[in-house]
Amino acid sequence: MKVSLLLSVVLLQALGCGLGARILAVLPFPVRSHFFFLSAILKALSERGHHIVEYSPFPPSKPLANYTHVEVHTFLDGFIKEWSFEEFLEISKDVPVLGLGFINVWNVSRKVCEEAFQHENLKRLIGSDEKFDLVITESALGQESMLVFGHRFRAPTVTLHTFSSWSGINRDAGNALSIAAIPDISSVVATDQMSFVDRFLNFISILTTLFIYYNHHLPLQDNVLKENYKMDAPPVADMVSNVSLYLINTHPTVEYSKPYTPNIVPVGGIVIEADRAPLPQDIQKFMDGAAKDGAIYFSLGTLVPIHRMPSDQLQMFVNVFNKLKQKVLWRINLDTIPGLSDNVKLIKWVPQPGVLAHPNCVLFITHGGLFGQQEAIHAGVPTVGIPIFADQPYNIKFAEHRGIGVKLTFNTLSEETIYTAINTVLNNPKYKENAQRLSRIFRDRPMSPADSAVFWVEYVLRHGGAHHLRSAATQLSWYKLALLDVLAAVLAVVATIIILLFVLRRICSLVFIAKKQSKVTTMKKEN
């Protein structure tokens, strides 16, 4: 009986693998934190029996079944490892005009795409006779030219979006912009409770972002293909509007409530679900030893070279941490910092979800990356946010508005502001209570993010691209979508009626005057 059951299981697994799709993933952007999200989805698909052929800079940490990794490297790989803190700030600096905050990131992404197309492995792929059932790309960082692989292999495309949705993605997917109620991540607006000024600024921000996206960024992505892809390709704007599915890294607890068309599926939290490894022994011991006063976790993410921060700025944090009774786990690529007190432990790599989930973790000092914010909310840990670029200011503003954290401005950091912010969050119970409330909401969902991602990808496969999920709004020009043509027709009708009434009244007036004059003339003649 046991042998028969075992054979049945093996047979079912083999059958599942045989029915699995062959999926190509082209993900050349070398930002490890973003790749955690991408790889979590790819691993979930491979575990369901689909064969993944993935081109990226990041090989799996261990061999995976149904998973083929092919190296693709660009200039940015080495640059990220070696850049100075000043170079990072220069590249990540947002343009201080509404709606222009993505330009620097898009410019870097364009160069990454150009070099990726010149990489031998991708050139070999383009010239191959490979067959794929689906193509996966990343859309969050301006890599729309990679959608050409869907065209090349005549396969539907799914894009993975490591941020929340924003105006460009919403427009591409045919989703409502909801300008009056939802602040865009490129906007300076901090809340969904908008005043007239907020709505005006949000409108200008979204309008500017969309104008640049369609009239500057996408044409430059067309140039990337024209110069580096030696085969016929449709315009990037057409490929963008034909994407079958968007898997986005969000959840209602980490952004303002939004409407989504069926082709946009939130899977926020999938990284937390995928990272279930136990804490290393030294970190576990350090966190366990903080039972009395708690532990603070400090990390500015994988991209910010905080170890190359000027010494006077580093010393601000050292001096503040020396005053605290809490233990501090500081993720930084340094072995030691002068003057560091015994309550601080430096660590070069941390399994972040596990640290935040430790019962002794009382505060997370963060740069406001969406992954860290999700992990903090999942664990019910309040935050002190120091946003630097991209979506980080938006995320920290959201945390402030939801009462789970406070914001510090990077350019005005001081010992006093850092110390005050830490004590504000630690000493006011509302921050912890709000974080725990959001944690309960974040965890309460009908299916896991991995199951949701796999279901909808397989749905696209089952239904030949599932184009019925796309809204007809993707085929409408902007003025039709905004009903400006209808408004113009209504105004024209109203204007015509007004003009006709005016003319009719004028005619009646003239007739009346003429009759009156005629009557007067007749009376004069009779007299």
Side-chain angles (χ1 to χ4, degrees):
M1 187 69 176
K2 291 182 179 180
V3 173
S4 299
L5 183 60
L6 180 61
L7 287 174
S8 298
V9 171
V10 171
L11 181 61
L12 287 172
Q13 288 179 336
L15 183 61
C17 291
L19 295 175
R22 198 157 187 268
I23 299 174
L24 170 66
V26 186
L27 310 165
F29 206 84
V31 177
R32 185 171 289 278
S33 60
H34 286 246
F35 195 76
F36 290 152
F37 174 75
L38 312 177
S39 65
I41 294 173
L42 298 181
K43 288 176 184 177
L45 289 167
S46 72
E47 288 170 359
R48 301 307 203 278
H50 301 291
H51 185 78
I52 308 299
V53 181
E54 170 248 301
Y55 286 73
S56 83
F58 303 112
S61 56
K62 59 182 179 181
L64 298 171
N66 311 317
Y67 202 103
T68 301
H69 167 76
V70 184
E71 297 280 323
V72 173
H73 294 285
T74 63
F75 79 98
L76 195 57
D77 298 48
F79 190 52
I80 288 175
K81 293 175 183 176
E82 301 299 330
W83 60 14
S84 67
F85 196 75
E86 291 73 19
E87 287 172 325
F88 165 77
L89 291 180
E90 182 61 29
I91 288 176
S92 62
K93 182 172 61 179
D94 285 341
V95 181
V97 178
L98 285 173
L100 302 186
F102 290 124
I103 283 186
N104 284 340
V105 175
W106 284 343
N107 288 339
V108 172
S109 295
R110 186 177 74 254
K111 294 176 183 177
V112 169
C113 291
E114 289 171 347
E115 288 204 13
F117 277 113
Q118 292 302 318
H119 196 281
E120 286 302 318
N121 288 337
L122 272 188
K123 289 168 72 174
R124 195 176 298 116
L125 172 67
I126 293 169
S128 72
D129 57 357
E130 295 259 28
K131 304 293 182 185
F132 296 101
D133 301 298
L134 186 79
V135 172
I136 291 178
T137 66
E138 182 184 6
S139 61
L141 294 170
Q143 303 166 62
E144 289 82 3
S145 55
M146 294 296 153
L147 291 170
V148 77
F149 288 97
H151 170 77
R152 169 66 183 83
F153 295 107
R154 298 181 180 180
T157 53
V158 171
T159 66
L160 312 183
H161 195 65
T162 49
F163 299 150
S164 169
S165 66
W166 58 284
S167 51
I169 293 296
N170 286 329
R171 181 68 184 94
D172 293 340
N175 195 39
L177 295 177
S178 302
I179 298 173
I182 301 172
D184 200 54
I185 62 174
S186 64
S187 175
V188 297
V189 178
T191 171
D192 58 349
Q193 306 298 315
M194 297 191 208
S195 65
F196 170 80
V197 173
D198 290 334
R199 285 183 282 116
F200 177 78
L201 293 176
N202 200 44
F203 170 75
I204 296 298
S205 177
I206 289 175
L207 192 68
T208 306
T209 299
L210 289 175
F211 180 83
I212 296 169
Y213 179 68
Y214 284 105
N215 294 281
H216 173 74
H217 173 63
L218 291 188
L220 288 178
Q221 289 287 303
D222 278 319
N223 289 341
V224 170
L225 291 179
K226 183 178 179 181
E227 296 172 6
N228 300 282
Y229 182 78
K230 304 306 179 183
M231 301 175 72
D232 291 335
V236 171
D238 290 350
M239 292 190 287
V240 161
S241 67
N242 283 319
V243 169
S244 292
L245 182 69
Y246 296 83
L247 296 178
I248 63 173
N249 181 35
T250 192
H251 183 270
T253 57
V254 294
E255 68 168 352
Y256 300 109
S257 180
K258 295 181 180 181
Y260 287 123
T261 46
N263 57 342
I264 299 179
V265 177
V267 291
I270 193 170
V271 174
I272 305 170
E273 188 177 72
D275 189 0
R276 294 175 175 170
L279 292 177
Q281 189 173 357
D282 59 332
I283 298 178
Q284 183 72 48
K285 182 178 179 181
F286 183 82
M287 297 298 293
D288 289 345
K292 181 181 178 182
D293 298 307
I296 296 170
Y297 173 52
F298 176 32
S299 172
L300 296 186
T302 59
L303 199 58
V304 181
I306 188 173
H307 57 290
R308 296 195 174 103
M309 181 183 283
S311 58
D312 58 330
Q313 289 181 306
L314 273 180
Q315 198 60 44
M316 286 190 306
F317 291 101
V318 170
N319 295 342
V320 170
F321 296 158
N322 287 350
K323 301 175 186 177
L324 299 176
K325 58 183 179 180
Q326 290 80 15
K327 288 179 175 290
V328 179
L329 184 66
W330 186 351
R331 184 193 171 278
I332 187 170
N333 195 26
L334 292 173
D335 295 315
T336 184
I337 301 176
L340 208 61
S341 57
D342 293 338
N343 67 319
V344 182
K345 179 179 178 62
L346 305 183
I347 194 82
K348 294 182 180 179
W349 182 251
V350 175
Q352 188 163 283
V355 168
L356 291 169
H358 193 284
N360 292 338
C361 187
V362 295
L363 178 67
F364 180 26
I365 304 175
T366 172
H367 63 313
L370 187 54
F371 297 104
Q373 185 144 306
Q374 288 178 359
E375 290 157 5
I377 288 175
H378 181 268
V381 175
T383 60
V384 168
I386 311 172
I388 301 176
F389 76 115
D391 66 327
Q392 295 162 16
Y394 175 89
N395 297 335
I396 296 299
K397 285 186 291 186
F398 176 85
E400 275 195 309
H401 188 233
R402 287 292 188 259
I404 62 172
V406 299
K407 174 186 174 182
L408 291 174
T409 303
F410 181 79
N411 293 330
T412 59
L413 283 179
S414 67
E415 288 184 36
E416 181 181 357
T417 58
I418 298 170
Y419 185 76
T420 300
I422 290 173
N423 281 288
T424 296
V425 176
L426 290 179
N427 295 329
N428 189 333
K430 78 165 187 177
Y431 293 102
K432 179 69 173 179
E433 291 167 2
N434 288 334
Q436 290 179 332
R437 178 177 55 81
L438 287 187
S439 176
R440 291 190 293 271
I441 299 171
F442 187 85
R443 294 166 182 264
D444 189 4
R445 55 181 81 189
M447 63 168 44
S448 72
D451 287 341
S452 184
V454 171
F455 173 84
W456 285 106
V457 169
E458 291 181 340
Y459 186 92
V460 168
L461 287 165
R462 286 195 299 271
H463 299 288
H467 299 305
H468 58 277
L469 297 179
R470 290 207 310 264
S471 167
T474 60
Q475 308 303 318
L476 294 177
S477 57
W478 64 271
Y479 66 89
K480 291 180 181 178
L481 191 61
L483 292 177
L484 294 183
D485 54 341
V486 174
L487 180 62
V490 170
L491 292 176
V493 170
V494 171
T496 300
I497 293 173
I498 292 172
I499 291 171
L500 287 175
L501 290 173
F502 176 80
V503 171
L504 185 60
R505 183 179 178 182
R506 183 64 177 164
I507 291 173
C508 291
S509 176
L510 292 174
V511 169
F512 176 78
I513 292 172
K515 286 182 177 180
K516 188 174 182 180
Q517 289 178 343
S518 176
K519 187 176 182 180
V520 170
T521 303
T522 302
M523 291 177 64
K524 286 182 177 179
K525 288 181 178 180
E526 290 177 352
N527 292 331

